[in-house]
Amino acid sequence: MTNLSEVDLGKLKSSVADWEKITDSLERLADRAQKGLLSKSESARWAGVNADVTRGFVKKTAKEFTDAHAEASSIYKVLADACTELLALQKKLNDALHNEAPSLGLRVSDTGDGNVHVFYPHDRTTDDTHTQSELNTAQELADRIAGIISHAREIDDSVSRALRKSHGNDEFNFGHESYTSLDDAQEQRAEELAKKSLRLYKEGKELSTEELRELQTLIKYNADDKEFATDLYRGLGQEGALRFQAQLSLDGTAEGGEQLTLARSIQDSMGTALATATPNLGDKWTDELMRVGRSDLDLQMQGNQMVPKGYQVLGTLLRHGTYPASFLDKVGDDMIAYERDGGSWGRPDGSYAGMKDFGLNADKEGGRGWDPVTGLLEAYGHNPDAATSFFHADVAGPGKQMSNLDYLMGTGSDGKGDGARQWIPDMTAPFAAKDPVIYGKDALGHALEAAVSGLPYDHGDVGAHPEHTEQRQEIMDQVVNAVAANPKLADDTMADSLGRMAGEYMPEVNSTLSQSDGFDDLYGSPRKFTSTLATAEFLDTIGRNPDGYAEAALGAENHSAQVMHDVVAHPDKYAGTTAENLKHTAYNTGTVEGILSGARHDQIVTGGQQSDQDYNEALQKRADMFNTAFGSTVGLATERVPIAGEVINGVTEVVVGEMVEGAERNTAAETAYTAGQSSFDARQNALDQAETGLRVAGTPAGVDPTDMHRSVTQQTGEGFDHGKELQREAKDYYQRNPPK
């Protein structure tokens, strides 16, 4: 650590300046040698043995000047790039050590060999215990510092390697390997190692662990560089790049250990590099990739029995990076069209019975990569605009026409599943029957989140959220109706996504459930969903899953508190009196809570105490994530409140904290939980949350605080009871009226 933080890079800067002067001088000498010495030699009227010898000597001498300039230029460019990058890394490291760590109450010690220990110093006034959020912060800083040091080491190694190749270990001749930049040197080495890996696998061998580590580091720290990424994929070619990726993943998932760790990192970086390169690779390159995607891919591995389609390997890369919409439009539509036309994705059979994690996807999660649509949907989850267009698009296939949303969501061409996609567990066949998790539905949830919100599903803290355009809301409305008509479409793996989508669209949810049209300005005058009962049934469905409930409930309460705060702070923005607006907000939030709590109650009836504990743990997990980074996903509807540029962190913190505490109090009874007690406590918790929202918002001027609190509590309770009735009414309606 100190080697980078304390090293004087001024000497390197001086060396760069010296090499720049040498390069300029050699350029002039080379020019003079070519235009003067060589030109005169070639034009001289010499004859005989002496002339032949002299002319050859002059030509060789002139070439040496040219080669000397090329070598000096290569050294200068490599050193200059290295200096720039090392200075930036040194600044990042020192900022982390001397500014960030102290501000967080952390200390950093160098343990040697590029590793660091980040810790909270002993505090006599406490018992030295720290929250999980604090421990996560310390670990994140430690990982970031270690990454900076590792990056600097990779640059040092790359420079040393490039300088050796430029010099060629030749005392008498210039003109060996020449580079236009440090990136150029790094790309050539990465391509050399990747091609060597392809050659060795064909021979039944593989790269040494040291070589694989070098390759992993090179790609990791250059995946975002356009020149590096573009040259690497052009050099490997479409088929070569996919074969290289498949070989490493299959080998890594079979062997485990460090081999798997390196394969996992390389997959991540190769995906990011492909996303970086695609704008420069061009349409012809993409067209050829699509041809390879539909074709069998010969892996050229001795003893291998798998022959995947190119798209299956591409799917593992698409999970990482942010791809241009133009690229996703072509590849996504072609992949779906191939599948709808009868194309299939093979996966291992019983001969791989002892290898549960064997697959094309080296990631810890997300299935084993045999279903490429999972990776495609993860890519859409990172590109909101492309996702919105994708779900609206119709791709031709057998039978009736349907949108990609109908095909993937499961409604099909007739609303009852005709022609819809048949999802399969993404793992080797023997294990699919034992653990039938549909990982692709989790990815579908991510893509839908992006499509309806206008934000990447895994976005961090953001400012104003994008507008709910007509296209986005149409998708959300279709999802609401689809899940209401057939709750089985809401697979457990996507429940958290559906909950976040409900939180994002809480203004529309409130407006749709509202029994009065006179308060739409409270929610930014959103478009309503097409059906009140469908909206209620949708909330009921996601409320039966702990993760879905946590996301939707926190979003609803947070949104309510934000609206209350703004109604009191800016009363002139809204029609009606402040007291009326507060009571309406309380009633509507109570309605949402009544539906969600009714769903939770019904689930607890079958799941008992453990089920209720699952709900509270999901709430706590969501709160912890919020505390780590405000605005990540909790209460996405916060930005839908028409607050003039304000994001009121304090309101959200209080709401999240008190909601979790209330839920925990509700299950503190020593005896087994009863369904009736669960229902009563959920209602009381809704009343407590309304009190919290009003307390944070404050009492309007000229209104008796006691009367206002009593009214808000009463309206919340009445809304809660209405929500429970609406939940039962919606359930009864859809049981009597299944999809037609």
Side-chain angles (χ1 to χ4, degrees):
M1 181 176 72
T2 54
N3 289 343
L4 176 60
S5 65
E6 299 176 6
V7 67
D8 180 10
L9 292 174
K11 295 179 180 179
L12 179 56
K13 288 181 69 175
S14 297
S15 179
V16 170
D18 290 341
W19 275 103
E20 184 177 22
K21 292 176 183 177
I22 293 170
T23 301
D24 291 342
S25 297
L26 285 171
E27 183 178 23
R28 289 192 294 271
L29 283 172
D31 185 64
R32 286 168 58 189
Q34 290 290 331
K35 295 179 179 178
L37 185 63
L38 181 60
S39 178
K40 291 179 180 179
S41 171
E42 292 296 310
S43 62
R45 295 181 178 179
W46 291 349
V49 176
N50 185 55
D52 292 339
V53 172
T54 303
R55 186 175 281 113
F57 173 78
V58 170
K59 185 180 292 186
K60 183 177 180 181
T61 302
K63 181 180 180 301
E64 284 297 312
F65 277 113
T66 300
D67 290 346
H69 168 254
E71 184 173 317
S73 177
S74 177
I75 292 171
Y76 160 65
K77 289 173 180 176
V78 167
L79 289 177
D81 285 351
C83 184
T84 299
E85 292 190 29
L86 288 172
L87 283 168
L89 289 172
Q90 187 182 61
K91 184 177 183 302
K92 285 183 181 179
L93 178 60
N94 285 329
D95 183 61
L97 294 176
H98 306 305
N99 296 322
E100 192 172 355
S103 71
L104 295 170
L106 292 165
R107 290 183 183 173
V108 183
S109 64
D110 190 345
T111 59
D113 197 30
N115 297 313
V116 295
H117 177 48
V118 177
F119 60 97
Y120 292 94
H122 174 63
D123 185 350
R124 293 182 179 179
T125 64
T126 70
D127 58 359
D128 285 334
T129 59
H130 298 281
T131 66
Q132 187 59 50
S133 177
E134 289 173 329
L135 296 175
N136 291 344
T137 297
Q139 186 60 53
E140 189 276 332
L141 183 62
D143 292 342
R144 188 146 40 89
I145 290 173
I148 292 171
I149 296 169
S150 176
H151 191 179
R153 180 178 294 170
E154 182 271 324
I155 291 172
D156 186 50
D157 290 343
S158 293
V159 170
S160 298
R161 188 167 50 247
L163 294 182
R164 285 196 300 270
K165 287 194 171 184
S166 290
H167 181 261
N169 198 29
D170 191 334
E171 298 180 15
F172 305 105
N173 291 294
F174 294 105
H176 298 281
E177 199 71 55
S178 182
Y179 305 105
T180 59
S181 64
L182 178 59
D183 287 336
D184 182 31
Q186 292 168 323
E187 188 282 324
Q188 286 191 35
R189 178 57 177 167
E191 186 179 330
E192 175 189 327
L193 286 171
K195 288 181 175 178
K196 181 179 180 181
S197 178
L198 287 167
R199 186 178 68 254
L200 289 176
Y201 271 116
K202 196 172 183 179
E203 298 171 359
K205 305 173 185 177
E206 59 188 58
L207 291 177
S208 68
T209 302
E210 184 177 347
E211 288 174 317
L212 198 58
R213 285 197 204 107
E214 181 186 344
L215 180 57
Q216 176 263 339
T217 306
L218 281 167
I219 301 176
K220 177 180 179 179
Y221 293 116
N222 292 283
D224 290 319
D225 185 272
K226 289 183 180 180
E227 178 186 345
F228 177 95
T230 303
D231 289 347
L232 179 62
Y233 270 97
R234 281 205 177 117
L236 291 175
Q238 295 88 336
E239 194 170 334
L242 295 182
R243 181 179 292 119
F244 165 73
Q245 173 58 43
Q247 289 173 344
L248 289 186
S249 290
L250 291 177
D251 205 13
T253 56
E255 292 189 19
E258 186 175 6
Q259 184 85 1
L260 175 57
T261 300
L262 292 171
R264 183 172 291 152
S265 175
I266 290 172
Q267 174 181 299
D268 188 327
S269 300
M270 286 293 287
T272 302
L274 181 58
T276 303
T278 45
N280 302 317
L281 291 171
D283 288 340
K284 288 185 178 180
W285 197 94
T286 301
D287 290 342
E288 175 61 15
L289 177 67
M290 290 159 59
R291 186 196 66 77
V292 174
R294 285 171 168 255
S295 306
D296 289 341
L297 183 66
D298 180 5
L299 297 184
Q300 299 181 0
M301 298 174 71
Q302 289 192 10
N304 171 66
Q305 301 176 34
M306 288 303 303
V307 184
K309 298 295 183 183
Y311 272 144
Q312 290 179 278
V313 184
L314 179 62
T316 67
L317 299 177
L318 294 177
R319 298 165 187 255
H320 307 284
T322 302
Y323 290 82
S326 58
F327 176 81
L328 287 179
D329 286 345
K330 295 185 70 172
V331 171
D333 285 349
D334 188 62
M335 192 183 292
I336 298 298
Y338 169 78
E339 185 177 272
R340 289 201 63 202
D341 284 337
S344 61
W345 315 114
R347 57 177 176 162
D349 56 21
S351 60
Y352 292 85
M355 302 164 66
K356 181 178 181 180
D357 295 327
F358 179 73
L360 296 168
N361 176 33
D363 289 347
K364 289 182 179 180
E365 301 175 345
R368 300 281 47 93
W370 306 112
D371 184 354
V373 175
T374 302
L376 175 67
L377 291 171
E378 290 291 358
Y380 280 118
H382 293 119
N383 191 320
D385 291 339
T388 303
S389 298
F390 172 73
F391 284 118
H392 275 287
D394 291 333
V395 176
K400 297 179 181 178
Q401 194 84 353
M402 73 183 88
S403 70
N404 285 331
L405 179 59
D406 291 329
Y407 176 66
L408 295 167
M409 192 67 199
T411 49
S413 61
D414 62 352
K416 295 191 291 184
D418 181 47
R421 187 174 203 262
Q422 300 301 307
W423 297 84
I424 59 172
D426 189 6
M427 58 182 64
T428 54
F431 297 97
K434 300 176 184 177
D435 186 21
V437 178
I438 308 298
Y439 296 99
K441 284 293 189 80
D442 186 32
L444 174 60
H446 296 162
L448 286 171
E449 281 188 70
V452 302
S453 70
L455 292 166
Y457 82 90
D458 55 355
H459 72 86
D461 192 1
V462 296
H465 286 216
E467 176 190 359
H468 287 174
T469 63
E470 185 175 352
Q471 269 200 323
R472 289 174 183 146
Q473 185 170 342
E474 282 178 2
I475 295 173
M476 184 65 190
D477 199 14
Q478 288 180 55
V479 170
V480 168
N481 284 295
V483 170
N486 184 1
K488 291 181 179 180
L489 298 181
D491 191 85
D492 281 345
T493 58
M494 63 189 299
D496 57 339
S497 292
L498 294 174
R500 282 189 288 273
M501 290 160 63
E504 168 72 21
Y505 276 76
M506 202 50 65
E508 287 83 354
V509 168
N510 276 273
S511 183
T512 303
L513 298 178
S514 175
Q515 294 184 300
S516 171
D517 292 331
F519 295 91
D520 277 354
D521 59 342
L522 287 174
Y523 311 111
S525 300
R527 290 179 288 272
K528 297 177 184 289
F529 293 134
T530 54
S531 169
T532 299
L533 290 180
T535 304
E537 181 67 5
F538 172 75
L539 292 175
D540 173 84
T541 300
I542 61 177
R544 292 171 185 270
N545 178 280
D547 291 327
Y549 172 85
E551 298 289 355
L554 283 170
E557 292 293 355
N558 183 44
H559 176 256
S560 172
Q562 299 284 4
V563 172
M564 284 186 172
H565 182 281
D566 200 56
V567 162
V568 174
H570 307 285
D572 294 339
K573 289 167 51 178
Y574 304 96
T577 67
T578 302
E580 289 173 340
N581 287 329
L582 286 172
K583 287 189 286 185
H584 176 82
T585 301
Y587 186 92
N588 257 23
T589 304
T591 300
V592 174
E593 274 293 344
I595 297 170
L596 290 171
S597 297
R600 170 175 172 164
H601 165 271
D602 292 347
Q603 192 66 23
I604 291 170
V605 168
T606 58
Q609 180 80 21
Q610 182 57 48
S611 179
D612 203 47
Q613 187 63 35
D614 291 341
Y615 275 89
N616 288 338
E617 287 177 357
L619 279 170
Q620 185 62 62
K621 177 183 176 182
R622 195 72 206 91
D624 288 343
M625 292 176 68
F626 161 78
N627 290 329
T628 301
F630 170 77
S632 58
T633 44
V634 152
L636 289 176
T638 298
E639 291 300 331
R640 302 269 74 82
V641 181
I643 300 173
E646 297 177 298
V647 177
I648 314 166
N649 298 44
V651 174
T652 306
E653 290 175 18
V654 171
V655 170
V656 171
E658 296 210 5
M659 185 171 183
V660 173
E661 289 177 11
E664 289 176 346
R665 285 196 302 271
N666 288 346
T667 54
E670 295 180 3
T671 58
Y673 223 81
T674 66
Q677 183 67 33
S678 169
S679 178
F680 173 80
D681 285 348
R683 189 179 192 278
Q684 184 59 50
N685 201 39
L687 302 182
D688 293 343
Q689 284 302 112
E691 282 282 329
T692 299
L694 185 59
R695 187 177 73 249
V696 174
T699 306
V703 177
D704 180 79
T706 302
D707 289 344
M708 190 74 256
H709 278 263
R710 186 184 300 116
S711 295
V712 164
T713 301
Q714 179 182 344
Q715 288 297 307
T716 301
E718 291 179 5
F720 187 93
D721 296 338
H722 172 64
K724 294 288 290 291
E725 287 297 325
L726 195 58
Q727 179 218 6
R728 286 190 284 269
E729 182 183 348
K731 184 65 65 182
D732 178 65
Y733 173 83
Y734 280 100
Q735 286 177 348
R736 289 186 291 105
N737 298 277
K740 296 182 180 179

